[in-house]
Amino acid sequence: MEPAYRGLGRCVCCFWLAVAFDVVGLLVLLLGVFVDVFFYDLLIYAGAIVIFLSLVWWVFWYSGNIEVLSAELEDDVGLTKKDKGGIGKAVRRLSNRLAGSIRSSVRRNGGTATGSLNRQGGGARRSAAAVAAAPRLEQVVVALATLKPIDERLHTCGSSVDHDDVEMPSTATESAPT
């Protein structure tokens, strides 16, 4: 038998925290409005923020006191009645078997495409199946350098470009999985 909750409900602590935040926030806000201090704006903003944060405790208190009948929970969380039979029971059994076989095949093959770590090697190595199944996602590093032309005749200088500098067209690099 569940205990009967009266008055404030189940989440009494959240209720009193919400009330305390409201009272403190209101006091700080009113201090900022009516007391003549040079930091009145700080008090007004701080009071408003504390009152806003009290909403978190109000939501916790409210959501903690929501009553849901077990009949309504049946579909949402997977609670099933024992006397149900027929097609629903067969479909549920088939669904559980299918999900279990998929789950076990994923475990057997080493996980998803990104690869799951081999538990026997302490997580440091991948299993052979995971390495074979997962595409290689290593980054390829390409180094580019600007070189001077070997033959001076190939270097034509029609503008104010110095003979020691070489103008190179802008290049783009890309790395692809190997």
Side-chain angles (χ1 to χ4, degrees), residues 1-171:
M1 178 181 221
E2 291 186 27
Y5 295 103
R6 287 182 277 146
L8 300 178
R10 284 187 284 252
C11 303
V12 178
C13 181
C14 290
F15 175 82
W16 288 115
L17 276 170
V19 169
F21 270 57
D22 280 338
V23 169
V24 169
L26 186 64
L27 286 176
V28 171
L29 186 120
L30 290 177
L31 277 174
V33 171
F34 294 115
V35 175
D36 189 24
V37 291
F38 70 93
F39 55 92
Y40 67 94
D41 53 345
L42 173 74
L43 293 174
I44 291 172
Y45 288 131
I49 290 172
V50 171
I51 291 173
F52 176 75
L53 290 176
S54 76
L55 290 175
V56 173
W57 297 112
W58 285 117
V59 168
F60 284 167
W61 175 73
Y62 179 77
S63 61
N65 286 312
I66 294 176
E67 296 284 334
V68 180
L69 299 174
S70 61
E72 292 175 15
L73 271 179
E74 181 179 328
D75 293 333
D76 294 338
V77 296
L79 296 176
T80 58
K81 291 182 181 176
K82 302 298 180 196
D83 60 348
K84 273 194 175 178
I87 191 79
K89 187 175 180 181
V91 169
R92 188 170 296 110
R93 191 178 322 134
L94 178 65
S95 172
N96 288 339
R97 265 191 212 157
L98 183 63
S101 66
I102 291 173
R103 207 174 299 125
S104 65
S105 71
V106 167
R107 287 185 192 134
R108 204 174 27 241
N109 290 335
T112 61
T114 57
S116 63
L117 297 177
N118 187 2
R119 304 293 181 240
Q120 297 163 349
R125 295 176 299 180
R126 289 184 182 193
S127 67
V131 171
R136 299 195 62 180
L137 299 175
E138 298 168 2
Q139 185 175 2
V140 177
V141 179
V142 178
L144 299 177
T146 305
L147 302 174
K148 292 184 180 181
I150 299 172
D151 191 3
E152 193 63 36
R153 291 175 294 169
L154 296 175
H155 181 68
T156 58
C157 181
S159 64
S160 63
V161 176
D162 192 12
H163 287 290
D164 294 333
D165 294 332
V166 176
E167 289 186 34
M168 296 292 290
S170 63
T171 59

